Amino acid sequence: MVPITESKNKAERTLFGSAALGTLFHKWRDGTFRELLEDWRWILGFTRQYKWAVACYILLGVLSASFGLVSAVASKYTIDIITGYQTSKLSLVVLIMVASALVGILLRCLTSRVSTKISLHVNNDIQASIFDKVLDADWLALSKYPSGDVLNRFNSDVNTVAGNAISWLPNVVIGVYTFAATFCVILYYNVVMALIALASAPFLILSSRYFLRRMRRHNEKMKEMGSTLMAYETEAFSNLDTIKSFGLMDQYGRGLRSLQARWKKLSLDYNLFTIQTDAALSLLGSLVQFAAFGYCLYLLWTHQIAYGTMTLFLTQSTKLSSTFSNLVNLVPSFLNSAVSARRIRELVQLEKEPHDPDSGLLDPLAEQGFQVKLDSLTFAYQPGEPVIRKADFLAKPGEIVALVGPSGEGKTTLIRLILGLVRPGEGRAYLRGADGTEVAMNAETRRQFSYVPQGNTVLAGTIADNLRLVKEDATDQELEEALKLACAWEFVSQLPQGMHSPVGERGRGLSEGQAQRIAIARAIVKDAPVLLLDEATSALDVATERQVLRNIIRSRPNKTCIVTTHRPSVLGLCQRVYRVSQGRVLELDQAEAARLAMDF
């Protein structure tokens, strides 16, 4: 037996047979309607600065509806004059009818233009706000969201919100006005006809539950399948070299065709559903129109109305039904926008990175270099599961300090701690200046670092464009010097346009070793006091790797250089070597470092 409370909730959710209206009513009863209002208050906050444009949008819509009614009434009188052979006022009535129609068209065009402009402004405002918030979000908080999910919220959800932010409320106002005005016009001429025209509303509500539910299911399946297909294509193009080298072209081709077949089936199913829906709604509308037509014929037969009045009744009853249908459909839009707003707000409300204003005290000391220190530091991504335990670390200006150890044991985590991307649970991570000034790692201290991460980080554009990412006003001479220090000038100078030669996405056109040297040159151009190389020389031969590090230290004697590596072939150049293993960070003495270098 179904509990009474559960049955009541189900009844509320399907109020008048409408899933959307039922959900709205249920949220009112369970107290979550306030959350919807909060979401919409946030949405409308972006449109507040465009309130006059929104008011103009509403005014244009109301005027357009009004002139449409004037044109309809003028058409009625035109027909009555023609059929009654009362031609004395024909010119005036036709003029009013044509003018009203033309003004209505103009107003609709203006409304569309205003709506589009405001929507684009709001879309850009929301995206820019989210972009800034995401860039400044805490690394751990943001890492809980897959990049695809962030992009989906950044694009799809923002488009949903922006599209309804400036149109939903005006459309409600315009729709209510149009419905009321149309109903009053019909009511003025005939009460029974107005009731017949209004009778289509319950039919539309009763049918909306079934159609909305099926449409939602179809849309969900289409979106899921579209995401799967896009992910497959993106993965294939991103790994094109691997696919070619393993001879997997036919296999991936078959995979694509299989996904396309599923997409085709879903698309055809959805097409069939829309055809059936349109047919059902058309039949429903036709039944109502037949009832209205039959009553109009009766009135015409009994000489209670003229032909023009009959035409007015039929056209406006159809308009009344469509306007009511549009108003009902605004309820799902209201709910969908609130859901999208909630998803966007989750990103906007992410915890921010710490910004310590005292970090500015380090700027005058940059020329002398900084010590990078970790004192008794413990860090865990998950509570109770420390990745780093009681770690001590020191790197001084003029030194090359190595972090070695097995993959996945914490070297990159140490880099994140040093960069202030994550913060220790216990202990300290800080920079120390020559005068003893100490500042804990935070978002502001990051400007004292040049960082070369793992992997290929060369972007599409010219080599010079890539280098100037970190220093926009860098001269060609500075870029050439950085390329020479990174042992990249020899191959760059041989390119057709030198440093101004274009490269593709992810450095396409360059070897892995060349791409790494470009990335190192970019870090040199920034010329920050601390240089972090996270497996950044893995694609270089031993001689080039050693030469690059020697060049950096000789040309920048006060620079602190920290290197993580799986192949300690440069340990002979290092003043200090730390082994990272099983969460421990242990400094090796010279003998241990020498034996480790020999092992490799």
Side-chain angles (χ1 to χ4, degrees), residues 27 35-36 38-40 42-43 46 123 126 130 145 149-165 223 332-349:
K27 285 184 175 293
E35 296 177 2
L36 292 177
E38 286 296 324
D39 293 330
W40 265 94
W42 179 83
I43 292 173
F46 284 94
N123 186 86
I126 297 176
I130 295 174
Y145 295 86
D149 183 37
V150 173
L151 286 173
N152 188 46
R153 295 173 190 236
F154 186 72
N155 290 298
S156 178
D157 288 316
V158 168
N159 287 336
T160 298
V161 169
N164 288 314
K223 288 181 178 180
S333 298
F334 177 83
L335 296 174
N336 291 338
S337 294
V339 171
S340 292
R342 178 63 52 84
R343 283 165 51 83
I344 296 171
R345 289 174 66 195
E346 286 180 4
L347 295 182
V348 172
Q349 294 171 356

Side-chain angles (χ1 to χ4, degrees), residues 237-313:
F237 290 132
S238 298
N239 297 279
L240 194 57
D241 293 347
T242 303
I243 292 173
K244 285 180 173 293
S245 62
F246 280 99
L248 302 176
M249 291 83 73
D250 292 340
Q251 180 177 329
Y252 267 79
R254 289 193 300 271
L256 177 65
R257 285 165 176 78
S258 175
L259 292 175
Q260 285 178 327
R262 291 166 58 188
W263 169 264
K264 176 182 176 182
K265 183 179 184 304
L266 286 174
S267 298
L268 290 176
D269 288 344
Y270 185 70
N271 174 256
L272 180 60
F273 166 70
T274 56
I275 292 173
Q276 292 171 341
T277 301
D278 290 341
L281 293 178
S282 297
L283 178 61
L284 180 63
S286 297
L287 291 175
V288 175
Q289 286 301 305
F290 284 145
F293 184 64
Y295 183 68
C296 284
L297 288 178
Y298 166 75
L299 294 177
L300 191 65
W301 179 265
T302 57
H303 303 288
Q304 298 182 49
I305 61 172
Y307 288 107
T309 306
M310 176 180 175
T311 303
L312 179 67
F313 284 170

